[in-house]
Amino acid sequence: MALSRSHRVTMNDGNTIPVLGFGTYAPGSVPKSETGMATKVAIEVGFRHIDGAFAYGNEKEVGQAIRAKIADGTVTRKDIFCTGKLWNTCHRPELVRPALEETLKNLQLDYLDLYIIHFPLSFTPGKEIYPMDENQKPIGDSVDLRDTWEAMEKCKDAGLVKSIGVSNFNRRQLEMILNKTGLKYKPVCNQVECHPYLNQSKLLEFCKSKDIILVAHSALGTQRDPQWVDEKAPIVLEEPVLGAIAKKHNRSPAQVALRYQIQRGVVVLAGSRSEKEIKENFEVFEFQLTPEDIKVIDGINKTFRYCILNGFQELPNYPFNDEY
């Protein structure tokens, strides 16, 4: 993965993506205005890759932040690489373009740089993000994701998005798209949970073999939203191995965890609402890990997943039952 001077890499469709992105997910308890302010800070610090999603419920605030930084001359629209995600209730082909158009309206943008299928799980259409029946069980929908992908391709052809990809897909689900009859565009990326405790080495190897970029979400071990993450789960950034390597380089464990991904050829997302942490996260281009450092970090993999979507395991296409 050859880095350009602007810290971008080329995807399989010829477009480029910054290797470090700012993640805009925040737990529901966080005021949406905080995410907007953090996005402004991230752009001021130097982040040009902004990763968002309809399901995060803060697209309007993120869009306002981007527009404000364009208006004050900090960046132009072309400088910004903006990602949106198709939510699970909109997998039916006729719902894909309207969902993208709603995201564009929320963000106040004419096009997205990247639009990805958020999960391979399909939910029944409607206004509820997590539709549940009377027994509080999720209501799935029967959709062939190859048909969803065709609708994504049409959005690219219409100029509403420059690149299209997927998220949280396992190898089998990626192969289903890649082997699709009449495939027009390959997914440019697969965004998945990836950190030193879940290094996704097999999936990364597979993606590289297919010229698909792996994008790491939860790269610092998630924001530990109690809705999704067990409070007893280990904390990546308290891992002694990361602490020792960080001390050696006079860096923070978070910087080491992010740099680890970049040197493995992974595009990595880092989210924070702290100005100090946002600045610190952008300083990962100022040092390098040694091959020995990488090897040692590889050795702390536990295949431990924070984001298991508890309660959704019985739905068709649940992606985390496969080895990778």
Side-chain angles (χ1 to χ4, degrees):
M1 185 167 89
L3 275 178
S4 70
R5 294 186 69 178
S6 61
H7 309 304
R8 284 176 172 250
V9 289
T10 302
M11 300 181 287
N12 63 40
D13 63 356
N15 294 322
T16 62
I17 182 171
V19 296
L20 179 65
F22 182 71
T24 62
Y25 170 78
S29 58
V30 175
K32 293 179 172 50
S33 58
E34 279 194 27
T35 302
M37 290 302 296
T39 303
K40 283 185 189 175
V41 170
I43 294 171
E44 288 162 4
V45 162
F47 280 89
R48 296 296 176 259
H49 174 175
I50 308 297
D51 180 85
F54 176 79
Y56 299 167
N58 56 19
E59 286 181 328
K60 288 180 181 175
E61 290 75 15
V62 170
Q64 286 163 2
I66 293 170
R67 297 307 314 180
K69 290 290 104 187
I70 292 172
D72 72 10
T74 303
V75 288
T76 65
R77 172 63 187 93
K78 284 185 178 177
D79 294 329
I80 294 292
F81 184 98
C82 188
T83 299
K85 301 184 185 79
L86 177 75
W87 186 238
N88 307 1
T89 53
C90 300
H91 283 179
R92 293 183 186 181
E94 67 273 16
L95 299 178
V96 172
R97 180 166 176 161
L100 172 53
E101 288 172 338
E102 184 174 358
T103 282
L104 290 172
K105 184 181 175 185
N106 288 341
L107 291 167
Q108 302 176 64
L109 297 177
D110 297 326
Y111 67 91
L112 283 181
D113 297 277
L114 176 62
Y115 197 47
I116 60 183
I117 299 174
H118 202 152
F119 281 98
L121 295 169
S122 301
F123 296 167
T124 190
K127 293 295 181 189
E128 294 293 322
I129 293 287
Y130 296 103
M132 300 286 183
D133 65 17
E134 63 275 10
N135 299 313
Q136 289 305 296
K137 285 190 173 283
I139 309 172
D141 195 24
S142 180
V143 182
D144 187 328
L145 289 171
R146 289 168 292 194
D147 296 335
T148 308
W149 186 254
E150 271 187 34
M152 297 279 284
E153 291 176 326
K154 287 174 183 172
C155 289
K156 176 175 164 74
D157 284 338
L160 298 174
V161 58
K162 291 183 176 287
S163 299
I164 51 176
V166 297
S167 179
N168 299 300
F169 275 47
N170 60 33
R171 173 179 176 156
R172 182 173 46 82
Q173 290 160 339
L174 279 172
E175 286 180 327
M176 178 182 68
I177 301 293
L178 292 172
N179 296 332
K180 173 188 168 304
T181 303
L183 181 71
K184 191 168 186 181
Y185 304 116
K186 284 168 61 172
V188 296
C189 71
N190 184 22
Q191 184 183 129
V192 297
E193 178 180 343
C194 186
H195 44 74
Y197 285 168
L198 181 70
N199 68 25
Q200 298 279 18
S201 57
K202 288 185 177 178
L203 187 60
L204 174 59
E205 188 180 336
F206 174 75
C207 286
K208 284 181 175 179
S209 76
K210 301 298 181 183
D211 199 16
I212 294 170
I213 287 175
L214 194 93
V215 180
H217 73 68
S218 309
L220 303 178
T222 81
Q223 297 184 46
R224 304 182 74 81
D225 184 342
Q227 184 182 4
W228 303 115
V229 179
D230 184 344
E231 62 181 22
K232 297 182 190 131
I235 299 172
V236 168
L237 297 183
E238 292 180 1
E239 165 60 47
V241 165
L242 291 182
I245 293 172
K247 190 174 180 183
K248 181 175 84 169
H249 291 279
N250 198 24
R251 297 286 166 177
S252 71
Q255 288 172 322
V256 170
L258 296 174
R259 184 73 208 181
Y260 168 69
Q261 300 294 3
I262 290 169
Q263 287 187 219
R264 300 170 77 217
V266 172
V267 168
V268 64
L269 305 175
S272 176
R273 294 175 300 282
S274 154
E275 185 169 348
K276 176 181 176 288
E277 289 176 357
I278 293 169
K279 286 179 177 173
E280 193 180 84
N281 289 344
F282 197 72
E283 291 168 358
V284 295
F285 301 107
E286 297 175 9
F287 76 105
Q288 274 202 317
L289 298 173
T290 66
E292 181 60 28
D293 292 335
I294 300 286
K295 192 175 174 186
V296 170
I297 298 170
D298 281 343
I300 63 172
N301 178 55
K302 302 176 189 291
T303 318
F304 181 84
R305 191 180 296 279
Y306 289 97
C307 309
I308 58 170
L309 281 185
N310 216 7
F312 295 85
Q313 290 94 329
E314 292 175 17
L315 289 181
N317 286 334
Y318 179 77
F320 306 139
N321 289 330
D322 292 26
E323 183 192 354
Y324 71 98

